[in-house]
Amino acid sequence: KSTTETSHLQNKTMPSRKKAQGKARKAAKAEVKANRCFHGFDQLSQSERCKEFIKAFDLKFALTIALSSNRMVGATYTETWEAIQQEFPDALVDDVILKNASSYYLSKGTDLILQGSIVEPNTSHACFFEQIIAQLHEKSRPANMSKVIELMGTDQHTAVKFIRERIPCNCLYFSS
């Protein structure tokens, strides 16, 4: 056989290097997706009611900010919370919705940090729900809005520290 025939036969039986690398990359992405960390957020146990609550909170918070550009952060949260309470009165009785919301924002914030994106509202939202939960358990204690406000305009290092202390995984161990 000639050398051209031999090389032609080898090309048919052996995949190209580029093709093999592409398959390896695709397999690696699939493995990462299968083993994805949700940073303590349990998507499977989240009810439809919790999903609706988070969507409604995000929407109402964004609308409140959009409608009044000069409003203080604390007032924005207060107005959003008052509107949400009317739509979700069960959130005041059962703190599972609030805990799920806080966990969701911590998970979302962690993902954004790992991607190198801005995490501002997620850290302050998580802190806000922590404060509301504490207020519900200690009836006389007012929510500490200064923490929420501080996290709204915080730097990346403070956001990483805040989230790292609250998630069960080590995903942010080397981030700052």
Side-chain angles (χ1 to χ4, degrees), residues 113-165:
I113 288 168
L114 293 172
Q115 294 168 9
S117 299
I118 298 171
V119 296
E120 256 182 23
N122 295 296
T123 51
S124 58
H125 288 359
C127 183
F128 175 73
F129 287 115
E130 284 180 1
Q131 294 301 314
I132 296 297
I133 292 166
Q135 185 180 15
L136 291 175
H137 289 288
E138 302 168 29
K139 302 279 187 228
S140 61
R141 179 185 178 276
N144 184 354
M145 291 306 290
S146 62
K147 281 185 176 181
V148 176
I149 293 166
E150 177 188 343
L151 286 168
M152 189 58 159
T154 194
D155 60 8
Q156 189 82 351
H157 175 76
T158 306
V160 169
K161 184 179 177 197
F162 174 83
I163 294 173
R164 187 187 302 153
E165 291 172 352

Side-chain angles (χ1 to χ4, degrees), residues 7-154:
S7 65
H8 182 64
L9 287 174
Q10 284 178 340
N11 286 343
K12 285 192 175 194
T13 57
M14 297 177 106
S16 71
R17 188 183 75 214
K18 266 188 164 180
K19 196 173 189 179
Q21 287 173 341
K23 284 184 179 183
R25 262 194 313 276
K26 192 173 181 179
K29 276 185 182 180
E31 185 179 332
V32 167
K33 200 172 188 179
N35 296 327
R36 184 179 183 279
C37 180
F38 292 101
H39 321 295
F41 178 61
D42 186 6
Q43 288 185 313
L44 299 176
S45 72
Q46 189 185 30
S47 68
E48 276 304 311
R49 188 75 173 151
C50 290
K51 291 175 187 174
E52 291 169 7
F53 177 84
I54 291 168
K55 267 187 187 174
F57 183 84
D58 282 342
L59 180 66
K60 290 196 186 317
F61 189 81
L63 282 171
T64 304
I65 285 179
L67 293 175
S68 56
S69 59
N70 296 336
R71 179 163 298 156
M72 301 284 286
V73 174
T76 303
Y77 274 103
T78 303
E79 189 174 319
T80 302
W81 181 239
E82 287 170 0
I84 286 292
Q85 285 177 321
Q86 293 173 4
E87 193 174 336
F88 295 88
D90 51 330
L92 292 172
V93 179
D94 184 10
D95 66 0
V96 171
I97 291 175
L98 301 175
K99 287 178 180 177
N100 256 325
S102 181
S103 179
Y104 167 79
Y105 289 115
L106 290 171
S107 177
K108 189 174 174 186
T110 303
D111 285 340
L112 290 171
I113 288 168
L114 293 172
Q115 294 168 9
S117 299
I118 298 171
V119 296
E120 256 182 23
N122 295 296
T123 51
S124 58
H125 288 359
C127 183
F128 175 73
F129 287 115
E130 284 180 1
Q131 294 301 314
I132 296 297
I133 292 166
Q135 185 180 15
L136 291 175
H137 289 288
E138 302 168 29
K139 302 279 187 228
S140 61
R141 179 185 178 276
N144 184 354
M145 291 306 290
S146 62
K147 281 185 176 181
V148 176
I149 293 166
E150 177 188 343
L151 286 168
M152 189 58 159
T154 194

